[in-house]
Amino acid sequence: MSLFEPGALAERSRAFEGRPPEEILAWALAEYAPRVAISTAFGVEGCALLDMAVAIDPKVQVFTVDTDFLFPETRELMQRLEERYGLSFTVFRSAEPREVLEKKHGFALWSTDPDQCCALRKVEPTRRALAAVDAWVAGLRRDQGPSRAGIQILERYDHDDGTPLVKVNPLAGWTRKDTWRYVVERGVPYNPLLDQGYKSVGCWPCTRAVREGEDERAGRWAGSGKTECGIHTFMERKAG
Ligand code: SF4
C-alpha cells in the first residue's frame, strides 16, 4: 500500500511510536533514497541525528541554512562535524546577499521585523532546499515546548506544486535527557554554548542563555512572543 493512500502514513507513524530513532531513521533513508535529506541547525538533536545517520549511510545528505548571523561556535562545530563524519554539508543562504538585504531592510531587521528576517534568511532558503527531496528528516522533539508538543513521527506536507513531502521526526518521542545521554555516551561533538547556559542556539542577535526553570526555547527571540522561526511551520500539515 502506498504511504500516500489516506491514513497510511499516520498508521506507519503510530507503529513507530516507542521505537528507537535509529530504526525510524534507517527506514526513512531506505524508503526515500536518494531524495531524502536531514536538515540541521546544529543543535544537540541535530548532532545526535547526524551520528545515527552516518552509521546507516555514510553519504547521507545533510543541509543547513546560513543566515549570516551564526555564532562563531556554531561555525566551528560545523567544521568539527564535517571532519569527524567525513561529510560536506550543503549550505543554503538567502536569495539575496547580506549587503542587498541590509540596503533594503536595514542592518537590524531581526529587531524591526523578526518574522520577515526569518522569512528571508531561513524559510525561503529552506523551501529551496526541500524542493529537491521527497522526505525531510528533522531533529524536533515533543518536549521542546508547546509549539512542538503535537508533532508526529511521520507527517505529510505538500510541495508548492502539490507533490507530497514527508517530514520525519525520529526524535519526536525522545526527551532532552535521552538526547544528551546519547550524545555524551557516544562522544558526539556539540555546541560549547550549550555548556554556558544556552539550551537552544540560533542566530546571535536572537538567542540568549536561559534561566533556571525556563522553557528550553525561552532564549530564542526572548520577550517578543515569537517561538519559531517558521521553517517548521511555514507549510500546512496534511492528514497522513
Ligand atoms: Fe533574523 Fe533572528 Fe530569524 Fe536569524 S533568528 S533569521 S537573525 S530574526
Side-chain angles (χ1 to χ4, degrees):
M1 180 167 71
S2 161
L3 282 174
F4 296 117
E5 284 178 33
L9 197 69
E11 193 182 317
R12 179 63 64 100
S13 185
R14 278 193 296 275
F16 276 140
E17 289 293 343
R19 302 303 305 161
E22 292 93 330
E23 180 182 322
I24 301 164
L25 194 52
W27 171 84
L29 295 180
E31 179 79 16
Y32 297 104
R35 289 178 55 85
V36 52
I38 298 177
S39 71
T40 180
F42 305 104
V44 67
E45 299 77 16
C47 297
L49 264 188
L50 192 58
D51 186 82
M52 293 174 194
V54 169
I56 298 163
D57 175 4
K59 298 281 176 231
V60 65
Q61 292 187 67
V62 183
F63 75 87
T64 190
V65 172
D66 185 344
T67 60
D68 293 321
F69 297 116
L70 301 181
F71 284 91
E73 289 87 346
T74 305
R75 294 191 187 283
E76 282 161 26
L77 174 64
M78 285 169 66
Q79 271 186 1
R80 272 196 291 150
L81 290 166
E82 284 187 322
E83 282 164 18
R84 168 155 172 163
Y85 296 112
L87 285 177
S88 187
F89 304 129
T90 306
V91 180
F92 286 81
R93 292 187 167 81
S94 54
E96 296 182 302
R98 178 176 180 168
E99 311 75 62
V100 175
L101 290 182
E102 287 183 2
K103 207 172 267 179
K104 282 186 179 173
H105 305 287
F107 174 66
L109 186 59
W110 67 78
S111 128
T112 53
D113 190 344
D115 285 341
Q116 192 187 9
C117 189
C118 282
L120 293 168
R121 292 186 161 107
K122 287 190 167 189
V123 176
E124 190 282 329
T126 299
R127 192 186 281 274
R128 252 185 291 131
L130 293 177
V133 301
D134 296 332
W136 167 26
V137 181
L140 275 60
R141 287 183 290 107
R142 292 181 182 128
D143 80 341
Q144 282 175 309
S147 61
R148 299 189 174 180
I151 62 168
Q152 300 301 312
I153 293 174
L154 303 179
E155 299 177 338
R156 160 80 191 269
Y157 295 88
D158 282 345
H159 288 295
D160 290 343
D161 65 2
T163 55
L165 170 70
V166 172
K167 187 172 182 183
V168 185
N169 299 310
L171 304 181
W174 263 18
T175 61
R176 182 173 180 79
K177 207 170 168 182
D178 294 329
T179 315
W180 273 107
R181 186 183 304 123
Y182 180 94
V183 163
V184 170
E185 280 177 0
R186 311 235 347 153
V188 176
Y190 62 87
N191 197 322
L193 291 173
L194 297 172
D195 289 331
Q196 296 167 34
Y198 292 80
K199 284 193 176 168
S200 171
V201 179
C203 297
W204 61 260
C206 305
T207 306
R208 66 153 170 81
V210 297
R211 293 181 279 270
E212 196 61 37
E214 279 188 322
D215 184 277
E216 72 179 75
R217 288 179 62 80
R220 306 286 297 276
W221 308 282
S224 73
K226 182 174 165 72
T227 57
E228 292 284 345
C229 64
I231 63 173
H232 295 295
T233 52
F234 77 92
M235 288 184 294
E236 187 192 346
R237 197 159 107 195
K238 310 285 178 189

